[in-house]
Amino acid sequence: IKTTLQHCPLSCSMLKNILKLSYSNNFNFKSIILKNFSKYNNFMDIKKSDLYINGSFVQSCSSNMLDCVNPATEEVFFQVPAANEEDANAAVNAASEAFDDWSNTTGSERAVYLRKIADRVTELQKEFAELETFDTGKPLPESVWDMEDVAGCFNYYADLAEKLDKKQNTNVDIDFPGFSAKLQYQASGVVALIVPFNYPLLMASWKVAPALAAGCTVVLKPSEYTSTTALAFSGVVDDIGLPAGVFNCLSGYGTDVGEPLVNHPLVDKVAFTGSTATGSRILAQSGNQVKSCSAELGGKSPAIIFSDSFKKNGVTNMAELDKLVEWVIFGFAWTNGQVSDIKIQLIISLSLKIIFLIIFFSFFSLRFVQLLREC
């Protein structure tokens, strides 16, 4: 909370305007947000709002569209295609056709493409961050950090792809006369990647980068609520010349696109991040097909505070306790609490309960006064 408020460029101006609401009926928060977005419309126009299949931007086989809503204003600022099963089939077929050539490249060759993606994302960091903020409602500084992590993720897996070459065909001692063995790493195949709304492009990069580094081809399906940066990212992939079919991107609903991807016979692996309910269905469907599946689902993580955690010679270290309170608030409220590992419970020793609560509520009071003074 503290970090978010300190670095959010709208925090003071928003507070001013909220206070002004008491005295004026002319305040229009939507106009403040939307006028700042107009200069980024060209970014999406350049990168297209079409689906990305087999190295080209193509129109969906469906005429349906998804509204992109700015959570701060509830204004529809863009529309993207709502793909269907026919689009999913086309994307999977493209990925399947591209797999043999891509999987036979070396890790060093794949690393070149990954680093080009990282460089291009860095060049467009400002545009990507602004677009992510308009689509998700998260503070701009957090979106900037996300984009930094996106670039860092592709660079990280570029390094691992190069190291993979050194591991290939290494001898394995099986201690059996007359026989020899070598270790060889092989790509899984076509991978369907389904990502959630809270970290749209960052979560996509956590799945796309390792898959490409390993030699897999991918079909990415972003959340139907936050698809803009994933489609814009397709423009980056197009810019750096990634071979056709290696990366494909479909916006659409889970029932229309996600399920056909999971159940497609040419999809060899599914990687999903989202709700436990949806994840259990995907795991069941993958299990019926004996298909590899990885799932990161909703969590229920408690913050646990022991009575002796901040004591030295029997005396509580108040400075450390202050830091703890700040981290607990961070754990509860980061990204508006819309994170799978968010702290939904606080388990605290009774001996620390009163002093902890005093510091906890004082933190919010002092921060609010600080914002008023800054305004």
Side-chain angles (χ1 to χ4, degrees), residues 50-112:
D50 292 333
L51 308 177
Y52 190 72
I53 300 175
N54 201 26
S56 300
F57 291 98
V58 298
Q59 292 185 347
S60 171
C61 297
S62 165
S63 59
N64 296 328
M65 303 293 287
L66 297 172
D67 289 338
C68 302
V69 179
N70 183 332
T73 65
E74 298 185 354
E75 190 88 3
V76 176
F77 67 90
F78 206 74
Q79 286 189 317
V80 296
N84 60 16
E85 185 173 357
E86 191 175 348
D87 297 314
N89 290 337
V92 172
N93 288 335
S96 180
E97 291 174 8
F99 174 71
D100 284 345
D101 288 342
W102 180 248
S103 61
N104 284 320
T105 58
T106 65
S108 296
E109 290 171 333
R110 297 192 291 271
V112 172

Short mmCIF file of all heavy atoms in Angstrom, two decimals, residues 50-112:
data_model
loop_
_atom_site.label_atom_id
_atom_site.label_comp_id
_atom_site.label_asym_id
_atom_site.label_seq_id
_atom_site.Cartn_x
_atom_site.Cartn_y
_atom_site.Cartn_z
N ASP A 50 -6.07 -7.55 -34.36
CA ASP A 50 -6.49 -8.85 -34.88
C ASP A 50 -5.81 -9.98 -34.12
O ASP A 50 -4.92 -9.75 -33.29
CB ASP A 50 -6.15 -8.96 -36.37
CG ASP A 50 -6.97 -8.03 -37.24
OD1 ASP A 50 -8.09 -7.69 -36.82
OD2 ASP A 50 -6.49 -7.64 -38.31
N LEU A 51 -6.22 -11.20 -34.40
CA LEU A 51 -5.54 -12.37 -33.85
C LEU A 51 -4.19 -12.53 -34.55
O LEU A 51 -3.98 -12.03 -35.66
CB LEU A 51 -6.40 -13.62 -34.08
CG LEU A 51 -7.85 -13.54 -33.61
CD1 LEU A 51 -8.59 -14.83 -33.98
CD2 LEU A 51 -7.94 -13.28 -32.12
N TYR A 52 -3.28 -13.24 -33.90
CA TYR A 52 -1.97 -13.47 -34.51
C TYR A 52 -1.80 -14.98 -34.69
O TYR A 52 -1.67 -15.73 -33.72
CB TYR A 52 -0.86 -12.92 -33.62
CG TYR A 52 0.49 -12.92 -34.29
CD1 TYR A 52 0.78 -12.02 -35.32
CD2 TYR A 52 1.48 -13.80 -33.90
CE1 TYR A 52 2.02 -12.01 -35.94
CE2 TYR A 52 2.74 -13.80 -34.51
CZ TYR A 52 2.99 -12.91 -35.53
OH TYR A 52 4.23 -12.89 -36.15
N ILE A 53 -1.85 -15.42 -35.94
CA ILE A 53 -1.79 -16.84 -36.26
C ILE A 53 -0.83 -17.06 -37.42
O ILE A 53 -0.91 -16.38 -38.46
CB ILE A 53 -3.18 -17.40 -36.64
CG1 ILE A 53 -4.17 -17.22 -35.47
CG2 ILE A 53 -3.09 -18.87 -37.02
CD1 ILE A 53 -5.59 -17.64 -35.81
N ASN A 54 0.11 -17.98 -37.22
CA ASN A 54 1.04 -18.39 -38.28
C ASN A 54 1.83 -17.20 -38.86
O ASN A 54 2.02 -17.10 -40.07
CB ASN A 54 0.29 -19.12 -39.40
CG ASN A 54 1.23 -19.99 -40.23
OD1 ASN A 54 2.27 -20.43 -39.75
ND2 ASN A 54 0.86 -20.24 -41.48
N GLY A 55 2.26 -16.31 -37.99
CA GLY A 55 3.12 -15.21 -38.42
C GLY A 55 2.40 -14.05 -39.05
O GLY A 55 3.04 -13.18 -39.64
N SER A 56 1.07 -14.00 -38.96
CA SER A 56 0.31 -12.91 -39.57
C SER A 56 -0.83 -12.46 -38.66
O SER A 56 -1.37 -13.27 -37.88
CB SER A 56 -0.28 -13.34 -40.92
OG SER A 56 0.73 -13.72 -41.82
N PHE A 57 -1.20 -11.19 -38.77
CA PHE A 57 -2.39 -10.68 -38.10
C PHE A 57 -3.60 -11.00 -38.97
O PHE A 57 -3.64 -10.61 -40.14
CB PHE A 57 -2.27 -9.17 -37.87
CG PHE A 57 -1.23 -8.80 -36.85
CD1 PHE A 57 0.03 -8.41 -37.25
CD2 PHE A 57 -1.51 -8.87 -35.49
CE1 PHE A 57 1.00 -8.08 -36.31
CE2 PHE A 57 -0.55 -8.55 -34.56
CZ PHE A 57 0.71 -8.15 -34.96
N VAL A 58 -4.53 -11.73 -38.42
CA VAL A 58 -5.68 -12.17 -39.21
C VAL A 58 -6.97 -11.86 -38.45
O VAL A 58 -6.99 -11.79 -37.21
CB VAL A 58 -5.61 -13.69 -39.50
CG1 VAL A 58 -4.39 -14.01 -40.33
CG2 VAL A 58 -5.60 -14.50 -38.20
N GLN A 59 -8.03 -11.70 -39.19
CA GLN A 59 -9.33 -11.49 -38.57
C GLN A 59 -9.87 -12.81 -38.05
O GLN A 59 -9.60 -13.88 -38.61
CB GLN A 59 -10.31 -10.89 -39.58
CG GLN A 59 -9.97 -9.46 -39.99
CD GLN A 59 -11.03 -8.86 -40.89
OE1 GLN A 59 -11.89 -9.57 -41.40
NE2 GLN A 59 -10.98 -7.55 -41.06
N SER A 60 -10.64 -12.72 -36.99
CA SER A 60 -11.23 -13.91 -36.41
C SER A 60 -12.30 -14.48 -37.33
O SER A 60 -12.94 -13.77 -38.11
CB SER A 60 -11.84 -13.58 -35.05
OG SER A 60 -12.59 -14.66 -34.55
N CYS A 61 -12.50 -15.78 -37.25
CA CYS A 61 -13.60 -16.42 -37.98
C CYS A 61 -14.94 -16.03 -37.39
O CYS A 61 -15.99 -16.22 -38.00
CB CYS A 61 -13.44 -17.94 -37.95
SG CYS A 61 -11.95 -18.53 -38.78
N SER A 62 -14.90 -15.50 -36.16
CA SER A 62 -16.10 -15.01 -35.50
C SER A 62 -16.20 -13.49 -35.67
O SER A 62 -15.19 -12.80 -35.73
CB SER A 62 -16.05 -15.35 -34.01
OG SER A 62 -17.00 -14.60 -33.28
N SER A 63 -17.40 -13.00 -35.75
CA SER A 63 -17.60 -11.55 -35.87
C SER A 63 -17.78 -10.89 -34.49
O SER A 63 -17.92 -9.67 -34.40
CB SER A 63 -18.84 -11.26 -36.73
OG SER A 63 -19.99 -11.85 -36.16
N ASN A 64 -17.76 -11.70 -33.45
CA ASN A 64 -17.96 -11.17 -32.10
C ASN A 64 -16.71 -10.44 -31.62
O ASN A 64 -15.58 -10.79 -32.00
CB ASN A 64 -18.32 -12.29 -31.13
CG ASN A 64 -19.63 -12.95 -31.48
OD1 ASN A 64 -20.53 -12.31 -31.99
ND2 ASN A 64 -19.74 -14.24 -31.20
N MET A 65 -16.94 -9.45 -30.76
CA MET A 65 -15.85 -8.66 -30.21
C MET A 65 -15.93 -8.62 -28.68
O MET A 65 -17.01 -8.78 -28.10
CB MET A 65 -15.88 -7.23 -30.75
CG MET A 65 -15.82 -7.12 -32.26
SD MET A 65 -14.23 -7.66 -32.96
CE MET A 65 -13.16 -6.28 -32.46
N LEU A 66 -14.78 -8.40 -28.05
CA LEU A 66 -14.71 -8.24 -26.60
C LEU A 66 -14.45 -6.77 -26.27
O LEU A 66 -13.58 -6.14 -26.87
CB LEU A 66 -13.57 -9.08 -26.02
CG LEU A 66 -13.65 -10.59 -26.16
CD1 LEU A 66 -12.35 -11.23 -25.69
CD2 LEU A 66 -14.82 -11.14 -25.37
N ASP A 67 -15.21 -6.23 -25.33
CA ASP A 67 -14.98 -4.86 -24.88
C ASP A 67 -13.82 -4.82 -23.90
O ASP A 67 -13.72 -5.64 -22.98
CB ASP A 67 -16.22 -4.30 -24.18
CG ASP A 67 -17.36 -4.02 -25.14
OD1 ASP A 67 -17.09 -3.86 -26.35
OD2 ASP A 67 -18.53 -3.98 -24.69
N CYS A 68 -12.92 -3.87 -24.10
CA CYS A 68 -11.83 -3.62 -23.17
C CYS A 68 -12.25 -2.43 -22.31
O CYS A 68 -12.39 -1.32 -22.82
CB CYS A 68 -10.54 -3.31 -23.90
SG CYS A 68 -10.03 -4.62 -25.03
N VAL A 69 -12.45 -2.68 -21.03
CA VAL A 69 -13.01 -1.68 -20.13
C VAL A 69 -11.93 -1.17 -19.18
O VAL A 69 -11.22 -1.95 -18.55
CB VAL A 69 -14.18 -2.27 -19.31
CG1 VAL A 69 -14.75 -1.23 -18.36
CG2 VAL A 69 -15.26 -2.80 -20.25
N ASN A 70 -11.83 0.15 -19.09
CA ASN A 70 -10.93 0.77 -18.12
C ASN A 70 -11.59 0.68 -16.74
O ASN A 70 -12.63 1.30 -16.53
CB ASN A 70 -10.68 2.23 -18.51
CG ASN A 70 -9.68 2.91 -17.60
OD1 ASN A 70 -9.54 2.56 -16.44
ND2 ASN A 70 -8.99 3.90 -18.13
N PRO A 71 -11.02 -0.05 -15.79
CA PRO A 71 -11.66 -0.20 -14.48
C PRO A 71 -11.83 1.12 -13.72
O PRO A 71 -12.74 1.24 -12.90
CB PRO A 71 -10.71 -1.14 -13.72
CG PRO A 71 -9.94 -1.84 -14.78
CD PRO A 71 -9.79 -0.85 -15.89
N ALA A 72 -10.98 2.09 -14.01
CA ALA A 72 -11.05 3.36 -13.29
C ALA A 72 -12.26 4.19 -13.72
O ALA A 72 -12.78 4.99 -12.95
CB ALA A 72 -9.77 4.16 -13.51
N THR A 73 -12.69 4.00 -14.96
CA THR A 73 -13.77 4.83 -15.49
C THR A 73 -14.97 4.02 -15.95
O THR A 73 -16.02 4.58 -16.24
CB THR A 73 -13.27 5.64 -16.69
OG1 THR A 73 -12.92 4.72 -17.75
CG2 THR A 73 -12.05 6.48 -16.32
N GLU A 74 -14.80 2.70 -16.07
CA GLU A 74 -15.81 1.80 -16.64
C GLU A 74 -16.14 2.18 -18.08
O GLU A 74 -17.22 1.89 -18.58
CB GLU A 74 -17.06 1.76 -15.76
CG GLU A 74 -16.80 1.24 -14.36
CD GLU A 74 -18.05 1.09 -13.53
OE1 GLU A 74 -19.13 1.50 -14.00
OE2 GLU A 74 -17.95 0.55 -12.42
N GLU A 75 -15.18 2.81 -18.74
CA GLU A 75 -15.34 3.21 -20.13
C GLU A 75 -14.75 2.15 -21.06
O GLU A 75 -13.66 1.62 -20.80
CB GLU A 75 -14.62 4.55 -20.37
CG GLU A 75 -14.91 5.19 -21.70
CD GLU A 75 -16.14 6.09 -21.65
OE1 GLU A 75 -16.70 6.24 -20.55
OE2 GLU A 75 -16.50 6.65 -22.69
N VAL A 76 -15.45 1.81 -22.14
CA VAL A 76 -14.90 0.91 -23.15
C VAL A 76 -13.93 1.72 -24.01
O VAL A 76 -14.33 2.64 -24.71
CB VAL A 76 -16.02 0.32 -24.03
CG1 VAL A 76 -15.41 -0.53 -25.15
CG2 VAL A 76 -16.97 -0.52 -23.19
N PHE A 77 -12.65 1.37 -23.93
CA PHE A 77 -11.64 2.15 -24.67
C PHE A 77 -11.11 1.42 -25.89
O PHE A 77 -10.39 1.99 -26.70
CB PHE A 77 -10.48 2.54 -23.76
CG PHE A 77 -9.63 1.39 -23.29
CD1 PHE A 77 -8.53 0.98 -24.02
CD2 PHE A 77 -9.93 0.74 -22.10
CE1 PHE A 77 -7.75 -0.08 -23.59
CE2 PHE A 77 -9.14 -0.31 -21.65
CZ PHE A 77 -8.05 -0.72 -22.41
N PHE A 78 -11.47 0.13 -26.04
CA PHE A 78 -10.97 -0.62 -27.17
C PHE A 78 -11.79 -1.89 -27.31
O PHE A 78 -12.52 -2.28 -26.39
CB PHE A 78 -9.49 -0.96 -26.96
CG PHE A 78 -8.71 -1.17 -28.22
CD1 PHE A 78 -8.36 -0.09 -29.01
CD2 PHE A 78 -8.35 -2.43 -28.63
CE1 PHE A 78 -7.64 -0.27 -30.19
CE2 PHE A 78 -7.63 -2.62 -29.80
CZ PHE A 78 -7.28 -1.53 -30.58
N GLN A 79 -11.70 -2.54 -28.47
CA GLN A 79 -12.34 -3.84 -28.68
C GLN A 79 -11.35 -4.79 -29.33
O GLN A 79 -10.54 -4.38 -30.17
CB GLN A 79 -13.58 -3.70 -29.55
CG GLN A 79 -14.78 -3.08 -28.85
CD GLN A 79 -16.04 -3.17 -29.69
OE1 GLN A 79 -16.01 -2.92 -30.89
NE2 GLN A 79 -17.16 -3.53 -29.07
N VAL A 80 -11.42 -6.05 -28.94
CA VAL A 80 -10.57 -7.08 -29.53
C VAL A 80 -11.45 -8.24 -29.96
O VAL A 80 -12.58 -8.41 -29.48
CB VAL A 80 -9.50 -7.57 -28.53
CG1 VAL A 80 -8.55 -6.44 -28.16
CG2 VAL A 80 -10.14 -8.15 -27.28
N PRO A 81 -10.96 -9.09 -30.87
CA PRO A 81 -11.79 -10.19 -31.38
C PRO A 81 -12.09 -11.24 -30.30
O PRO A 81 -11.26 -11.52 -29.44
CB PRO A 81 -10.93 -10.80 -32.49
CG PRO A 81 -9.91 -9.76 -32.81
CD PRO A 81 -9.66 -9.01 -31.55
N ALA A 82 -13.27 -11.80 -30.38
CA ALA A 82 -13.64 -12.94 -29.54
C ALA A 82 -13.50 -14.18 -30.42
O ALA A 82 -14.42 -14.54 -31.16
CB ALA A 82 -15.06 -12.81 -29.00
N ALA A 83 -12.35 -14.82 -30.36
CA ALA A 83 -12.05 -15.94 -31.24
C ALA A 83 -12.94 -17.14 -30.91
O ALA A 83 -13.55 -17.21 -29.84
CB ALA A 83 -10.58 -16.32 -31.12
N ASN A 84 -12.98 -18.10 -31.83
CA ASN A 84 -13.80 -19.30 -31.63
C ASN A 84 -12.97 -20.55 -31.88
O ASN A 84 -11.75 -20.49 -32.06
CB ASN A 84 -15.04 -19.27 -32.52
CG ASN A 84 -14.70 -19.19 -34.01
OD1 ASN A 84 -13.55 -19.45 -34.42
ND2 ASN A 84 -15.67 -18.85 -34.82
N GLU A 85 -13.63 -21.68 -31.91
CA GLU A 85 -12.93 -22.97 -32.06
C GLU A 85 -12.19 -23.06 -33.38
O GLU A 85 -11.10 -23.64 -33.47
CB GLU A 85 -13.91 -24.12 -31.92
CG GLU A 85 -13.26 -25.48 -31.94
CD GLU A 85 -14.22 -26.62 -31.63
OE1 GLU A 85 -15.40 -26.33 -31.33
OE2 GLU A 85 -13.80 -27.79 -31.67
N GLU A 86 -12.76 -22.50 -34.43
CA GLU A 86 -12.10 -22.53 -35.75
C GLU A 86 -10.78 -21.77 -35.69
O GLU A 86 -9.77 -22.21 -36.27
CB GLU A 86 -13.03 -21.91 -36.80
CG GLU A 86 -12.56 -22.11 -38.23
CD GLU A 86 -13.56 -21.60 -39.25
OE1 GLU A 86 -14.71 -21.31 -38.86
OE2 GLU A 86 -13.19 -21.50 -40.45
N ASP A 87 -10.75 -20.64 -35.01
CA ASP A 87 -9.50 -19.90 -34.83
C ASP A 87 -8.50 -20.72 -34.03
O ASP A 87 -7.30 -20.74 -34.33
CB ASP A 87 -9.77 -18.58 -34.10
CG ASP A 87 -10.66 -17.64 -34.89
OD1 ASP A 87 -10.43 -17.47 -36.10
OD2 ASP A 87 -11.60 -17.07 -34.29
N ALA A 88 -9.00 -21.39 -32.98
CA ALA A 88 -8.11 -22.21 -32.15
C ALA A 88 -7.48 -23.33 -32.97
O ALA A 88 -6.28 -23.62 -32.85
CB ALA A 88 -8.90 -22.79 -30.97
N ASN A 89 -8.27 -23.96 -33.82
CA ASN A 89 -7.75 -25.03 -34.67
C ASN A 89 -6.67 -24.51 -35.61
O ASN A 89 -5.63 -25.17 -35.81
CB ASN A 89 -8.88 -25.67 -35.48
CG ASN A 89 -9.83 -26.47 -34.62
OD1 ASN A 89 -9.47 -26.93 -33.54
ND2 ASN A 89 -11.06 -26.65 -35.09
N ALA A 90 -6.90 -23.34 -36.17
CA ALA A 90 -5.92 -22.76 -37.09
C ALA A 90 -4.61 -22.46 -36.37
O ALA A 90 -3.51 -22.69 -36.91
CB ALA A 90 -6.49 -21.48 -37.72
N ALA A 91 -4.72 -21.92 -35.16
CA ALA A 91 -3.51 -21.58 -34.40
C ALA A 91 -2.73 -22.83 -34.00
O ALA A 91 -1.50 -22.87 -34.10
CB ALA A 91 -3.90 -20.78 -33.16
N VAL A 92 -3.44 -23.86 -33.55
CA VAL A 92 -2.78 -25.11 -33.14
C VAL A 92 -2.12 -25.77 -34.35
O VAL A 92 -0.99 -26.28 -34.27
CB VAL A 92 -3.77 -26.07 -32.47
CG1 VAL A 92 -3.12 -27.44 -32.23
CG2 VAL A 92 -4.24 -25.49 -31.15
N ASN A 93 -2.81 -25.79 -35.47
CA ASN A 93 -2.23 -26.38 -36.69
C ASN A 93 -0.96 -25.64 -37.10
O ASN A 93 0.03 -26.27 -37.51
CB ASN A 93 -3.25 -26.37 -37.82
CG ASN A 93 -4.38 -27.37 -37.61
OD1 ASN A 93 -4.21 -28.36 -36.92
ND2 ASN A 93 -5.54 -27.10 -38.19
N ALA A 94 -0.98 -24.32 -37.00
CA ALA A 94 0.21 -23.53 -37.35
C ALA A 94 1.36 -23.86 -36.41
O ALA A 94 2.52 -24.02 -36.84
CB ALA A 94 -0.13 -22.04 -37.29
N ALA A 95 1.05 -23.96 -35.11
CA ALA A 95 2.09 -24.28 -34.12
C ALA A 95 2.65 -25.68 -34.35
O ALA A 95 3.85 -25.91 -34.21
CB ALA A 95 1.51 -24.16 -32.71
N SER A 96 1.76 -26.61 -34.71
CA SER A 96 2.19 -27.98 -34.95
C SER A 96 3.11 -28.07 -36.16
O SER A 96 4.13 -28.78 -36.14
CB SER A 96 0.96 -28.87 -35.14
OG SER A 96 1.33 -30.21 -35.37
N GLU A 97 2.77 -27.35 -37.22
CA GLU A 97 3.58 -27.36 -38.44
C GLU A 97 4.95 -26.72 -38.20
O GLU A 97 5.95 -27.10 -38.82
CB GLU A 97 2.85 -26.64 -39.56
CG GLU A 97 1.62 -27.40 -40.06
CD GLU A 97 0.82 -26.61 -41.09
OE1 GLU A 97 1.32 -25.53 -41.51
OE2 GLU A 97 -0.28 -27.05 -41.46
N ALA A 98 5.01 -25.74 -37.30
CA ALA A 98 6.27 -25.04 -37.04
C ALA A 98 7.16 -25.77 -36.05
O ALA A 98 8.34 -25.44 -35.92
CB ALA A 98 5.97 -23.63 -36.52
N PHE A 99 6.61 -26.77 -35.35
CA PHE A 99 7.34 -27.37 -34.24
C PHE A 99 8.63 -28.06 -34.66
O PHE A 99 9.68 -27.88 -34.02
CB PHE A 99 6.45 -28.36 -33.48
CG PHE A 99 7.19 -29.12 -32.42
CD1 PHE A 99 7.60 -28.48 -31.26
CD2 PHE A 99 7.49 -30.46 -32.59
CE1 PHE A 99 8.31 -29.17 -30.28
CE2 PHE A 99 8.19 -31.16 -31.62
CZ PHE A 99 8.59 -30.51 -30.46
N ASP A 100 8.60 -28.85 -35.70
CA ASP A 100 9.79 -29.64 -36.08
C ASP A 100 10.99 -28.73 -36.33
O ASP A 100 12.09 -28.97 -35.81
CB ASP A 100 9.51 -30.49 -37.31
CG ASP A 100 8.66 -31.73 -36.98
OD1 ASP A 100 8.55 -32.06 -35.78
OD2 ASP A 100 8.11 -32.33 -37.92
N ASP A 101 10.80 -27.71 -37.13
CA ASP A 101 11.92 -26.81 -37.45
C ASP A 101 12.38 -26.05 -36.21
O ASP A 101 13.59 -25.92 -35.97
CB ASP A 101 11.51 -25.81 -38.54
CG ASP A 101 11.39 -26.47 -39.91
OD1 ASP A 101 11.93 -27.58 -40.08
OD2 ASP A 101 10.73 -25.87 -40.79
N TRP A 102 11.43 -25.55 -35.41
CA TRP A 102 11.81 -24.76 -34.24
C TRP A 102 12.50 -25.61 -33.18
O TRP A 102 13.50 -25.19 -32.58
CB TRP A 102 10.57 -24.09 -33.65
CG TRP A 102 10.86 -23.24 -32.43
CD1 TRP A 102 10.47 -23.50 -31.15
CD2 TRP A 102 11.58 -22.01 -32.39
NE1 TRP A 102 10.90 -22.50 -30.31
CE2 TRP A 102 11.59 -21.57 -31.05
CE3 TRP A 102 12.22 -21.23 -33.36
CZ2 TRP A 102 12.22 -20.40 -30.64
CZ3 TRP A 102 12.85 -20.05 -32.96
CH2 TRP A 102 12.85 -19.65 -31.63
N SER A 103 12.01 -26.80 -32.95
CA SER A 103 12.60 -27.67 -31.93
C SER A 103 13.98 -28.17 -32.32
O SER A 103 14.76 -28.59 -31.44
CB SER A 103 11.67 -28.85 -31.63
OG SER A 103 11.48 -29.65 -32.79
N ASN A 104 14.29 -28.14 -33.60
CA ASN A 104 15.60 -28.58 -34.06
C ASN A 104 16.64 -27.47 -34.08
O ASN A 104 17.80 -27.71 -34.41
CB ASN A 104 15.50 -29.21 -35.46
CG ASN A 104 14.91 -30.61 -35.41
OD1 ASN A 104 15.23 -31.40 -34.52
ND2 ASN A 104 14.03 -30.93 -36.35
N THR A 105 16.24 -26.25 -33.73
CA THR A 105 17.22 -25.17 -33.58
C THR A 105 17.98 -25.39 -32.27
O THR A 105 17.51 -26.08 -31.36
CB THR A 105 16.55 -23.79 -33.55
OG1 THR A 105 15.60 -23.77 -32.46
CG2 THR A 105 15.83 -23.49 -34.85
N THR A 106 19.15 -24.79 -32.17
CA THR A 106 19.92 -24.89 -30.93
C THR A 106 19.40 -23.89 -29.91
O THR A 106 18.71 -22.92 -30.26
CB THR A 106 21.40 -24.61 -31.19
OG1 THR A 106 21.55 -23.25 -31.62
CG2 THR A 106 21.96 -25.54 -32.25
N GLY A 107 19.74 -24.11 -28.66
CA GLY A 107 19.36 -23.15 -27.63
C GLY A 107 19.95 -21.78 -27.90
O GLY A 107 19.30 -20.76 -27.64
N SER A 108 21.15 -21.75 -28.42
CA SER A 108 21.80 -20.46 -28.73
C SER A 108 21.05 -19.72 -29.83
O SER A 108 20.92 -18.49 -29.78
CB SER A 108 23.26 -20.69 -29.16
OG SER A 108 24.01 -21.24 -28.08
N GLU A 109 20.55 -20.45 -30.80
CA GLU A 109 19.77 -19.82 -31.86
C GLU A 109 18.46 -19.26 -31.32
O GLU A 109 18.04 -18.15 -31.68
CB GLU A 109 19.50 -20.83 -32.98
CG GLU A 109 20.75 -21.21 -33.78
CD GLU A 109 20.52 -22.36 -34.73
OE1 GLU A 109 19.62 -23.20 -34.45
OE2 GLU A 109 21.23 -22.44 -35.74
N ARG A 110 17.83 -20.00 -30.45
CA ARG A 110 16.58 -19.52 -29.86
C ARG A 110 16.82 -18.33 -28.93
O ARG A 110 15.97 -17.42 -28.84
CB ARG A 110 15.88 -20.66 -29.11
CG ARG A 110 15.47 -21.82 -30.01
CD ARG A 110 14.54 -22.79 -29.33
NE ARG A 110 15.19 -23.56 -28.27
CZ ARG A 110 15.82 -24.71 -28.42
NH1 ARG A 110 15.93 -25.24 -29.65
NH2 ARG A 110 16.34 -25.34 -27.39
N ALA A 111 17.97 -18.32 -28.28
CA ALA A 111 18.31 -17.23 -27.37
C ALA A 111 18.39 -15.90 -28.10
O ALA A 111 18.07 -14.85 -27.54
CB ALA A 111 19.62 -17.52 -26.66
N VAL A 112 18.81 -15.92 -29.35
CA VAL A 112 18.90 -14.68 -30.14
C VAL A 112 17.52 -14.04 -30.26
O VAL A 112 17.36 -12.83 -30.08
CB VAL A 112 19.50 -14.97 -31.54
CG1 VAL A 112 19.41 -13.73 -32.42
CG2 VAL A 112 20.94 -15.43 -31.41
#
